Amino acid sequence: MALSPAAVRASFPDARGYVAACTSGIPSLATRDAVRADLDVLPDPIRYAAVAERCRAAFARLVGVDPGAVALGAQTSAMVSLIAAALPDGAVVVCPDGEFSSLVLPFVHAGRGITVRTVPLTALAESLRDGDALVAFSIVQSATGAVADADAIVAAARDHGIRTLCDATQAVGWMPVAAASFDALVCHAYKWLCAPRGVAFLTLDEDFAASIAPRQAGWYAGSDPWASCYGPDAALAASARRFDVSPAWQAFVGAEPALALFADADADALRDEVTGLAAALRERLDLPTPERATPIVTWPDVDGDDVDRLRAAGIVASRRAGNARVALHIFNDLRDVDDIARALGR
């Protein structure tokens, strides 16, 4: 039986005042215990490899794909760079205006005549054209919290023969995401999945994966990593594991219970819980309702005065692209809504 929002919330320490999951999640109680316990035992690469494989399997469950379609990484930009390197010379990549840099810069600096065209997020689907090679977008925008119409974007891309790359870093952990809907999906787990920084994933459609060279192949990309430690003759894995980089051991130790927690959660109920908190905050602050529900609440704060007020009240929020930005995750509750409104004089 899937875990209820209350059960997931009980897995975290009291986090009142921390409303910045879109910047970085906080560790669950089990993650804290796992990291501390790891410090008390001797390093064991075999044990760490087993931990990494369980993380791969948990993320696969989270996004609804086979573990063989999941590659392990450390940063989204490095994995996006693999895709940029696989595009043909002169390829056109379409991205939303104001997209997060880690998704855009690998294409901007890919060379070989590859260009990036940006358009408003709301016009992304209708802006795709025959001849475009790839559309790359975050399903939830970092700066604003806006949720993309992924179904419309994917449908338009298919109509024009365009590959799709989705960054789900600001989505997985609070909303259901089906990775198989996209040719490729990247996700760093340190935000809404509350894992330590340095744990990221790439999922690939098998046909798309066949066009990508394993340019950062190392020993862990081998079909048998323990037989791939030396020399040039190692056989790479046939699955998406050939795109793995060697996992950061301690980070994956902390990630394992976090990923398992969210994989076991009722994703629909969790989404409703956190977007409900955000809706309550928007009502208190008299902010408009977004087209698609999101737990990230933003409003103009060019001089940073509102963020300063929140910080003075002991509330950890963030400021991005001239906006005050608040994220309400499962470790938050209505006390945080009240505290924010009070700090802002509402």
Side-chain angles (χ1 to χ4, degrees), residues 15 17 48 52 60 90 105 151 161 175 207 286 289 311 325 337 343-344:
Y48 288 134
L105 292 184
D151 290 343
M175 70 178 289
D207 180 64
D286 195 24
T289 300
R311 289 174 178 167
R325 188 179 66 159
V337 172
L344 297 176

PDB file of all heavy atoms in Angstrom, residues 15 17 48 52 60 90 105 151 161 175 207 286 289 311 325 337 343-344:
ATOM      1  N   ALA A  15      10.567  20.825  10.036  1.00  0.00           N
ATOM      2  CA  ALA A  15      11.287  21.743   9.141  1.00  0.00           C
ATOM      3  C   ALA A  15      10.587  23.096   9.062  1.00  0.00           C
ATOM      4  O   ALA A  15      10.743  23.811   8.070  1.00  0.00           O
ATOM      5  CB  ALA A  15      11.406  21.127   7.751  1.00  0.00           C
ATOM      6  N   GLY A  17       9.701  26.672   8.738  1.00  0.00           N
ATOM      7  CA  GLY A  17      10.508  27.810   8.341  1.00  0.00           C
ATOM      8  C   GLY A  17      11.387  27.547   7.142  1.00  0.00           C
ATOM      9  O   GLY A  17      11.943  28.492   6.572  1.00  0.00           O
ATOM     10  N   TYR A  48      28.792  -0.459  -1.762  1.00  0.00           N
ATOM     11  CA  TYR A  48      28.365   0.799  -2.375  1.00  0.00           C
ATOM     12  C   TYR A  48      27.730   0.566  -3.751  1.00  0.00           C
ATOM     13  O   TYR A  48      26.773   1.239  -4.131  1.00  0.00           O
ATOM     14  CB  TYR A  48      29.552   1.747  -2.506  1.00  0.00           C
ATOM     15  CG  TYR A  48      30.028   2.333  -1.195  1.00  0.00           C
ATOM     16  CD1 TYR A  48      31.391   2.368  -0.878  1.00  0.00           C
ATOM     17  CD2 TYR A  48      29.128   2.859  -0.280  1.00  0.00           C
ATOM     18  CE1 TYR A  48      31.832   2.917   0.311  1.00  0.00           C
ATOM     19  CE2 TYR A  48      29.565   3.407   0.919  1.00  0.00           C
ATOM     20  CZ  TYR A  48      30.922   3.436   1.215  1.00  0.00           C
ATOM     21  OH  TYR A  48      31.343   3.973   2.401  1.00  0.00           O
ATOM     22  N   ALA A  52      24.028   1.705  -5.042  1.00  0.00           N
ATOM     23  CA  ALA A  52      23.774   2.453  -6.271  1.00  0.00           C
ATOM     24  C   ALA A  52      22.730   1.755  -7.133  1.00  0.00           C
ATOM     25  O   ALA A  52      21.863   2.411  -7.743  1.00  0.00           O
ATOM     26  CB  ALA A  52      25.072   2.642  -7.042  1.00  0.00           C
ATOM     27  N   ALA A  60      13.814   4.255 -11.116  1.00  0.00           N
ATOM     28  CA  ALA A  60      13.044   3.665 -12.208  1.00  0.00           C
ATOM     29  C   ALA A  60      11.581   3.497 -11.806  1.00  0.00           C
ATOM     30  O   ALA A  60      10.667   3.767 -12.600  1.00  0.00           O
ATOM     31  CB  ALA A  60      13.655   2.324 -12.608  1.00  0.00           C
ATOM     32  N   GLY A  90      24.828  21.558 -37.049  1.00  0.00           N
ATOM     33  CA  GLY A  90      23.791  22.475 -37.509  1.00  0.00           C
ATOM     34  C   GLY A  90      22.427  22.246 -36.895  1.00  0.00           C
ATOM     35  O   GLY A  90      21.452  22.891 -37.290  1.00  0.00           O
ATOM     36  N   LEU A 105      22.940  25.522 -21.606  1.00  0.00           N
ATOM     37  CA  LEU A 105      24.335  25.821 -21.947  1.00  0.00           C
ATOM     38  C   LEU A 105      25.072  24.681 -22.653  1.00  0.00           C
ATOM     39  O   LEU A 105      25.924  24.952 -23.517  1.00  0.00           O
ATOM     40  CB  LEU A 105      25.098  26.250 -20.697  1.00  0.00           C
ATOM     41  CG  LEU A 105      24.662  27.599 -20.102  1.00  0.00           C
ATOM     42  CD1 LEU A 105      25.552  27.960 -18.915  1.00  0.00           C
ATOM     43  CD2 LEU A 105      24.680  28.703 -21.138  1.00  0.00           C
ATOM     44  N   ASP A 151       2.219  17.198 -22.291  1.00  0.00           N
ATOM     45  CA  ASP A 151       1.508  16.386 -23.281  1.00  0.00           C
ATOM     46  C   ASP A 151       1.450  17.093 -24.627  1.00  0.00           C
ATOM     47  O   ASP A 151       1.677  16.473 -25.677  1.00  0.00           O
ATOM     48  CB  ASP A 151       0.090  16.089 -22.797  1.00  0.00           C
ATOM     49  CG  ASP A 151       0.058  15.125 -21.614  1.00  0.00           C
ATOM     50  OD1 ASP A 151       1.076  14.441 -21.383  1.00  0.00           O
ATOM     51  OD2 ASP A 151      -0.979  15.067 -20.925  1.00  0.00           O
ATOM     52  N   GLY A 161       8.621  15.203 -35.905  1.00  0.00           N
ATOM     53  CA  GLY A 161       9.807  14.339 -35.893  1.00  0.00           C
ATOM     54  C   GLY A 161      10.942  14.868 -35.050  1.00  0.00           C
ATOM     55  O   GLY A 161      12.118  14.697 -35.391  1.00  0.00           O
ATOM     56  N   MET A 175       5.350  15.459  -8.002  1.00  0.00           N
ATOM     57  CA  MET A 175       4.311  15.180  -8.992  1.00  0.00           C
ATOM     58  C   MET A 175       4.639  13.893  -9.738  1.00  0.00           C
ATOM     59  O   MET A 175       5.803  13.546  -9.909  1.00  0.00           O
ATOM     60  CB  MET A 175       4.167  16.343  -9.983  1.00  0.00           C
ATOM     61  CG  MET A 175       5.329  16.523 -10.939  1.00  0.00           C
ATOM     62  SD  MET A 175       5.090  17.896 -12.138  1.00  0.00           S
ATOM     63  CE  MET A 175       3.812  17.189 -13.199  1.00  0.00           C
ATOM     64  N   ASP A 207      15.776   3.645 -28.652  1.00  0.00           N
ATOM     65  CA  ASP A 207      16.145   4.091 -29.997  1.00  0.00           C
ATOM     66  C   ASP A 207      17.029   5.334 -29.928  1.00  0.00           C
ATOM     67  O   ASP A 207      18.019   5.446 -30.662  1.00  0.00           O
ATOM     68  CB  ASP A 207      14.871   4.374 -30.803  1.00  0.00           C
ATOM     69  CG  ASP A 207      15.174   4.851 -32.209  1.00  0.00           C
ATOM     70  OD1 ASP A 207      15.759   4.073 -32.983  1.00  0.00           O
ATOM     71  OD2 ASP A 207      14.835   6.014 -32.532  1.00  0.00           O
ATOM     72  N   ASP A 286      -2.891  36.955  -1.986  1.00  0.00           N
ATOM     73  CA  ASP A 286      -3.675  37.519  -3.090  1.00  0.00           C
ATOM     74  C   ASP A 286      -2.910  37.410  -4.418  1.00  0.00           C
ATOM     75  O   ASP A 286      -2.813  38.364  -5.188  1.00  0.00           O
ATOM     76  CB  ASP A 286      -4.042  38.978  -2.810  1.00  0.00           C
ATOM     77  CG  ASP A 286      -5.151  39.502  -3.731  1.00  0.00           C
ATOM     78  OD1 ASP A 286      -5.920  38.667  -4.235  1.00  0.00           O
ATOM     79  OD2 ASP A 286      -5.215  40.724  -3.954  1.00  0.00           O
ATOM     80  N   THR A 289      -3.989  32.322  -9.459  1.00  0.00           N
ATOM     81  CA  THR A 289      -3.894  30.868  -9.543  1.00  0.00           C
ATOM     82  C   THR A 289      -3.221  30.481 -10.854  1.00  0.00           C
ATOM     83  O   THR A 289      -3.613  30.949 -11.919  1.00  0.00           O
ATOM     84  CB  THR A 289      -5.294  30.239  -9.488  1.00  0.00           C
ATOM     85  OG1 THR A 289      -5.923  30.600  -8.251  1.00  0.00           O
ATOM     86  CG2 THR A 289      -5.214  28.723  -9.586  1.00  0.00           C
ATOM     87  N   ARG A 311      13.494  36.247   5.657  1.00  0.00           N
ATOM     88  CA  ARG A 311      14.699  35.799   6.354  1.00  0.00           C
ATOM     89  C   ARG A 311      14.783  36.400   7.752  1.00  0.00           C
ATOM     90  O   ARG A 311      15.235  35.743   8.693  1.00  0.00           O
ATOM     91  CB  ARG A 311      15.927  36.158   5.532  1.00  0.00           C
ATOM     92  CG  ARG A 311      16.058  35.310   4.258  1.00  0.00           C
ATOM     93  CD  ARG A 311      17.186  35.752   3.376  1.00  0.00           C
ATOM     94  NE  ARG A 311      17.309  34.880   2.200  1.00  0.00           N
ATOM     95  CZ  ARG A 311      18.041  35.156   1.130  1.00  0.00           C
ATOM     96  NH1 ARG A 311      18.758  36.285   1.095  1.00  0.00           N
ATOM     97  NH2 ARG A 311      18.091  34.321   0.116  1.00  0.00           N
ATOM     98  N   ARG A 325      10.747  33.493  -4.165  1.00  0.00           N
ATOM     99  CA  ARG A 325      10.373  32.122  -4.528  1.00  0.00           C
ATOM    100  C   ARG A 325      10.256  31.274  -3.268  1.00  0.00           C
ATOM    101  O   ARG A 325      11.179  31.188  -2.471  1.00  0.00           O
ATOM    102  CB  ARG A 325      11.425  31.530  -5.471  1.00  0.00           C
ATOM    103  CG  ARG A 325      11.058  30.187  -6.064  1.00  0.00           C
ATOM    104  CD  ARG A 325      12.139  29.682  -7.007  1.00  0.00           C
ATOM    105  NE  ARG A 325      13.393  29.381  -6.304  1.00  0.00           N
ATOM    106  CZ  ARG A 325      14.344  28.576  -6.765  1.00  0.00           C
ATOM    107  NH1 ARG A 325      14.196  28.011  -7.952  1.00  0.00           N
ATOM    108  NH2 ARG A 325      15.444  28.349  -6.072  1.00  0.00           N
ATOM    109  N   VAL A 337       2.601  28.408   5.918  1.00  0.00           N
ATOM    110  CA  VAL A 337       1.748  29.367   5.210  1.00  0.00           C
ATOM    111  C   VAL A 337       1.451  30.562   6.104  1.00  0.00           C
ATOM    112  O   VAL A 337       1.577  31.728   5.693  1.00  0.00           O
ATOM    113  CB  VAL A 337       0.443  28.689   4.748  1.00  0.00           C
ATOM    114  CG1 VAL A 337      -0.539  29.716   4.173  1.00  0.00           C
ATOM    115  CG2 VAL A 337       0.740  27.595   3.725  1.00  0.00           C
ATOM    116  N   ALA A 343       4.863  37.309   8.119  1.00  0.00           N
ATOM    117  CA  ALA A 343       6.128  38.028   7.890  1.00  0.00           C
ATOM    118  C   ALA A 343       5.978  39.102   6.822  1.00  0.00           C
ATOM    119  O   ALA A 343       6.679  40.130   6.857  1.00  0.00           O
ATOM    120  CB  ALA A 343       7.216  37.047   7.496  1.00  0.00           C
ATOM    121  N   LEU A 344       5.075  38.879   5.876  1.00  0.00           N
ATOM    122  CA  LEU A 344       4.850  39.836   4.787  1.00  0.00           C
ATOM    123  C   LEU A 344       3.705  40.808   5.077  1.00  0.00           C
ATOM    124  O   LEU A 344       3.289  41.561   4.211  1.00  0.00           O
ATOM    125  CB  LEU A 344       4.567  39.082   3.479  1.00  0.00           C
ATOM    126  CG  LEU A 344       5.724  38.200   2.974  1.00  0.00           C
ATOM    127  CD1 LEU A 344       5.285  37.431   1.731  1.00  0.00           C
ATOM    128  CD2 LEU A 344       6.975  39.031   2.691  1.00  0.00           C
TER     129      LEU A 344
END
